[in-house]
Amino acid sequence: MRRTPALSLTLSLTLLLAATASAARFDGESWWNIVKVLADDANEGRDTGSRGERAADDYVVARLRALGVRAAGSDGYFQPVEFTTRSIDEAASSIALVRHGRAAPVALGEDAVFTTRMPLAAAVEARLVFVGYGIEIDKLHYSDLKGSDLRGKIAVFITGSPADVPSALSAHAQARDERWQALRAAGAIGMISIQNPASMEKPWAATVLNRLHPSMALAAPEFSATAGCRFAASWNPAHAVALFAGSGHDFDTLVALATERKALPHFALPGRLRARAAVSSAAVSSRNIVAALDGSDPALKSSFVVLSAHIDHIGIGEPVAGDRIYNGAMDNGSGSALLLEVARVLAASPQKPRRSVLFVWVTGEEKGLLGSQYFATHPTVAASALIADINVDMFLPIIPLRLVTVYGLGESDLGERVTAVATRLGLAVQPDPLPLHNVFIRSDQYNFVRRGIPSLMLDVGAAPGSPEAATLVSWRRNRYHAPSDDTNQPVDLAAAAGFEELVTALVEEIANDPVAPHWKADSAFRAFAQAPGAP
Ligand SMILES: [Zn+2]
């Protein structure tokens, strides 16, 4: 029987689709199986320097060995990283607001929490000054600090920035070290951060649940960018009214202005803050994992495209619904597993990328991007050989993949490259849809940016206001940094596979192009490439 032309066309289309499907390099399934290993209860939430993190590290290294992807750390596949912990004994600590000679105690946990990521003096008493957003951006001639007398005082600010500050620059100015350097230069001895409730992803109670867990800092003295700080706290915005009482300014009005990204006033707050902090410390060791797939081009192989993901999570903490293990399946078992899958596919590919690819699993991300800071400062290959970083952190394949969110999209020509690759794969891209959430500085790519290396982070995206966006928001509210970020949650394996293909194709695109990525002329981060320091 002869086929009609129409049938024939249908059949050819079917065959074509089948051929495309059989050529797919990822199925999502093998990725999820790796996530299941990394996020297993046996790994106890992979806290930095913990037994569980070491077990996850050893698993990654065993896979790399089996794949034939070579070691590129300073100690085989590893790069040791040393930390100092800081823990607060709340029962022996206190904060009080002193007004008219009376000290009103602040309820720790409920009203405010000490920020143990910053150094805390045993005893502090100081005046308070509200400094708006508390940021300084030389490039835009913007300063919240000039004109206020901050000498010996504690700066109080609401997170965010005015509308005319581009989101990446806004995120940079609000980075912990960056902000502290500006406050310290203005004479401040401490800071109180009040998060704008409009940019809070989780309720206050959930964010402070594990505040007694030790925080960490890199042990080497070269990393002490927070020196000079004597007091740091985060204040519950729902209880900030008392802080502003008697100042002539209403906190809710300030929040409304900040939400619209309007200018904020600057003024002294009445009274003084009195604090006692009982802090203990200990030494902890962990390690980054570094592996390399050598490039195929004799001239280009000495340069590296970095693919990074943090392997640590937050460990065992306060129970939520009876579960104490914070498995970190999406955060960031997902990215860690993706790197292994990309390594598997590229190692087996008949056409190796022309440049080399460096796979870096960093530790200490949850402690403040510390492992990546260490690696970017002391790379295990020549610093000048690192031409780009693509970072993957909690990419959330829990909705169908049609749109990709690209952090840093407008900053370098990596933006055009990822757009071209995505278009080829039938995907659309969008810039950071929630610039107030500071995602650009909240993962490891930021430390590469600070060393002048063009970088991007990619996530599965959703159009603002869409039902998919609501799914992502609800995930962040309920599962982010909670024990329920485990492998019992729903996942879209097709979305994961599509995302793996996108990242792989992007890495190949960069690695095969003899022209290295570069910052845009108008990017604030270009200055880092010219003189590592500040834009
Ligand atoms: Zn996290």
Side-chain angles (χ1 to χ4, degrees), residues 267-526:
F267 50 89
L269 291 164
R272 307 167 78 85
L273 179 137
R274 183 182 293 160
R276 280 157 38 89
V279 177
S280 59
S281 357
V284 165
S285 302
S286 180
R287 50 212 185 163
N288 294 324
I289 304 170
V290 193
L293 191 71
D294 292 318
S296 58
D297 184 293
L300 294 175
K301 67 184 289 189
S302 60
S303 62
F304 293 86
V305 178
V306 180
L307 190 56
S308 57
H310 74 89
I311 192 161
D312 66 295
H313 191 54
I314 54 182
I316 294 174
E318 292 304 306
V320 177
D323 189 357
R324 298 183 62 220
I325 300 176
Y326 289 62
N327 303 75
M330 292 298 173
D331 185 11
N332 184 30
S334 68
S336 294
L338 179 139
L339 260 59
L340 276 176
E341 283 290 274
V342 175
R344 173 179 66 78
V345 162
L346 291 182
S349 165
Q351 259 190 342
K352 295 279 184 301
R354 297 175 69 191
R355 296 181 194 273
S356 300
V357 180
L358 200 67
F359 299 90
V360 185
W361 288 261
V362 294
T363 184
E365 189 271 352
E366 303 287 8
K367 309 296 183 196
L369 316 184
L370 301 180
S372 58
Q373 187 180 1
Y374 191 84
F375 179 83
T377 311
H378 299 289
T380 54
V381 300
S384 58
L386 306 174
I387 62 149
D389 172 51
I390 306 301
N391 188 53
V392 185
D393 185 1
M394 209 174 85
F395 64 94
L396 294 187
I398 56 172
I399 53 172
L401 177 64
R402 285 186 278 269
L403 181 61
V404 182
T405 301
V406 181
Y407 302 93
L409 183 66
E411 304 297 332
S412 73
D413 72 338
L414 288 173
E416 276 86 56
R417 295 174 193 233
V418 71
T419 304
V421 171
T423 306
R424 217 159 66 212
L425 296 172
L427 303 169
V429 302
Q430 69 175 359
D432 185 352
L434 299 166
L436 284 178
H437 290 209
N438 293 340
V439 171
F440 189 68
I441 62 158
R442 279 172 50 191
S443 192
D444 297 299
Q445 73 282 345
Y446 183 60
N447 282 313
F448 291 89
V449 169
R450 293 186 69 114
R451 307 305 290 190
I453 301 162
S455 306
L456 293 179
M457 182 168 76
L458 312 178
D459 278 351
V460 174
S466 65
E468 290 79 16
T471 303
L472 296 180
V473 168
S474 129
W475 190 94
R476 286 179 180 275
R477 232 185 141 67
N478 300 309
R479 291 192 198 268
Y480 174 63
H481 283 201
S484 58
D485 177 16
D486 60 17
T487 48
N488 297 318
Q489 67 187 298
V491 60
D492 183 333
L493 295 183
F499 191 86
E500 290 182 276
E501 179 57 41
L502 172 72
V503 172
T504 309
L506 176 60
V507 167
E508 290 174 308
E509 165 75 27
I510 303 165
N512 288 331
D513 190 337
V515 180
H518 58 83
W519 294 101
K520 294 280 177 66
D522 62 349
S523 170
F525 301 106
R526 188 164 159 257

